[in-house]
Amino acid sequence: MKQREFLKKEKEDIRILMKFAGIYCRENHSGEKVPFAFKLFDIKKIERKEIALCSECTRLLTYGLTMRLKCPHDPKPMCKKCETQCYHSAYKAKIREVMKFSGMYLIKHGRVDMLYHYFK
Ligand SMILES: [Zn+2]
């Protein structure tokens, strides 16, 4: 994978993934956290706000971003309706948990606008 321009939809998805992972980790995990950095792409161009994650969430987010950027479909279908099913099952369950938790968190805090892009 080499550096390239991001598509608008990719940017949205990357922002959501980062945002949701950040909320999930902050609300569920204590212990040592480090600012998230993604080696393959310059995500600072997309999401300037830094998030700090524990090692487990760092691994999960790295995986999620990698798979998102490798998605062979254009336009990308909803992951659950996709025939490729690229996520390894352990990660798939975990990502689903993160999305559900952070989605509920945003609803409770009146940030439904954040969800619009993800669930449309
Ligand atoms: Zn965490």
Side-chain angles (χ1 to χ4, degrees), residues 32-47:
E32 201 189 335
K33 306 203 179 181
V34 292
F36 180 74
F38 191 53
K39 291 189 188 75
L40 298 174
F41 292 97
D42 188 6
I43 45 170
K44 288 212 174 71
K45 279 183 196 155
I46 296 175
E47 180 61 60

Side-chain angles (χ1 to χ4, degrees), residues 21 24-26 28-29 33 53-58:
Y24 182 83
C25 192
R26 191 184 70 212
N28 289 286
H29 300 149
K33 306 203 179 181
L53 298 176
C54 71
S55 57
E56 187 192 338
C57 292
T58 298

Side-chain angles (χ1 to χ4, degrees), residues 22-98:
I23 292 171
Y24 182 83
C25 192
R26 191 184 70 212
E27 299 296 317
N28 289 286
H29 300 149
S30 51
E32 201 189 335
K33 306 203 179 181
V34 292
F36 180 74
F38 191 53
K39 291 189 188 75
L40 298 174
F41 292 97
D42 188 6
I43 45 170
K44 288 212 174 71
K45 279 183 196 155
I46 296 175
E47 180 61 60
R48 262 178 285 265
K49 217 175 132 206
E50 285 210 338
I51 52 170
L53 298 176
C54 71
S55 57
E56 187 192 338
C57 292
T58 298
R59 216 176 313 130
L60 184 69
L61 181 57
T62 302
Y63 184 81
L65 292 179
T66 306
M67 296 318 266
R68 174 61 190 92
L69 292 166
K70 271 165 67 173
C71 178
H73 305 291
D74 185 27
K76 184 180 98 55
M78 297 271 288
C79 285
K80 68 180 171 204
K81 289 183 186 158
C82 180
E83 61 193 25
T84 307
Q85 293 297 323
C86 63
Y87 268 55
H88 186 274
S89 59
Y91 283 107
K92 191 154 79 180
K94 193 72 199 166
I95 280 273
R96 200 177 289 148
E97 189 190 324
V98 168

Side-chain angles (χ1 to χ4, degrees), residues 19-25 97-107 115:
K19 174 104 187 157
F20 277 35
I23 292 171
Y24 182 83
C25 192
E97 189 190 324
V98 168
M99 289 304 179
K100 199 171 153 196
F101 176 88
S102 297
M104 287 310 292
Y105 180 92
L106 289 169
I107 288 169
L115 300 177

Side-chain angles (χ1 to χ4, degrees), residues 9 12 16 111-120:
K9 185 74 184 109
E12 285 173 10
I16 293 280
R111 293 300 310 274
V112 183
D113 55 309
M114 279 298 306
L115 300 177
Y116 173 72
H117 289 298
Y118 194 73
F119 293 107
K120 73 185 167 191

